[in-house]
Amino acid sequence: MENCIFCKIIAKEIPSYPIYEDEDVYAFLDISQTTPGHTLLVPKKHVSDIFDYDETLASATFSRLPKVARAIESAFPELAGLNIINNNKELAYQTVFHSHIHLVPRFTRADDFAIHFGNHTGKATAQEMTDLAQKIAEQVK
């Protein structure tokens, strides 16, 4: 894609700090370094988000996650956790529209990083939950 910053990084038109590369994916340090070692894993094929993946691309991309995660863990013996995040579409905080997966090393609770899952347990009835599950399950192909 012509104006995609990640496509330009993959093509080596823009410098990056590479972690891993093969025929399908490229992993490099995120320029923001939310925490030391914050890495992005991107498919080399331009897709905007998870909704554009086919099974082959998903397999090629997501199967590389453990390898990159283990490399981060090995590089940082003090690692206490790792967040793996994939934002899809603007409302979900996607800012670069070339699909990418964040691997954010966690060292302490004081890291400048947070995720909040609101607890809405009990706000939906069992029937509403059943109907919702069925609505989604019907779409799985």
Side-chain angles (χ1 to χ4, degrees), residues 20-27 41-44 60-62 64:
Y20 174 79
E21 180 175 15
D22 64 25
E23 64 280 355
D24 297 309
V25 301
Y26 187 61
L41 177 67
V42 300
K44 286 187 170 180
T61 304
F62 287 89
R64 294 343 189 258

Side-chain angles (χ1 to χ4, degrees), residues 52-116:
D52 289 339
Y53 280 72
D54 60 24
E55 285 186 29
T56 302
L57 183 62
S59 177
T61 304
F62 287 89
S63 68
R64 294 343 189 258
L65 274 170
K67 178 183 285 208
V68 176
R70 284 190 295 271
I72 293 169
E73 182 182 43
S74 293
F76 296 100
E78 69 278 22
L79 185 89
L82 179 72
N83 288 99
I84 298 175
I85 303 160
N86 176 237
N87 303 323
N88 297 280
K89 301 197 183 289
E90 189 174 354
L91 184 63
Y93 306 110
Q94 185 178 6
T95 57
V96 176
F97 296 92
H98 180 127
S99 184
H100 56 286
I101 303 160
H102 294 262
L103 292 92
V104 182
R106 301 302 303 278
F107 302 99
T108 73
R109 292 193 185 278
D111 290 342
D112 186 21
F113 181 81
I115 296 176
H116 170 77

Side-chain angles (χ1 to χ4, degrees), residues 126-141:
Q127 186 58 56
E128 290 169 329
M129 294 292 284
T130 299
D131 292 346
L132 181 58
Q134 184 176 0
K135 178 180 180 177
I136 297 168
E138 289 172 354
Q139 300 304 313
V140 177
K141 296 175 177 132

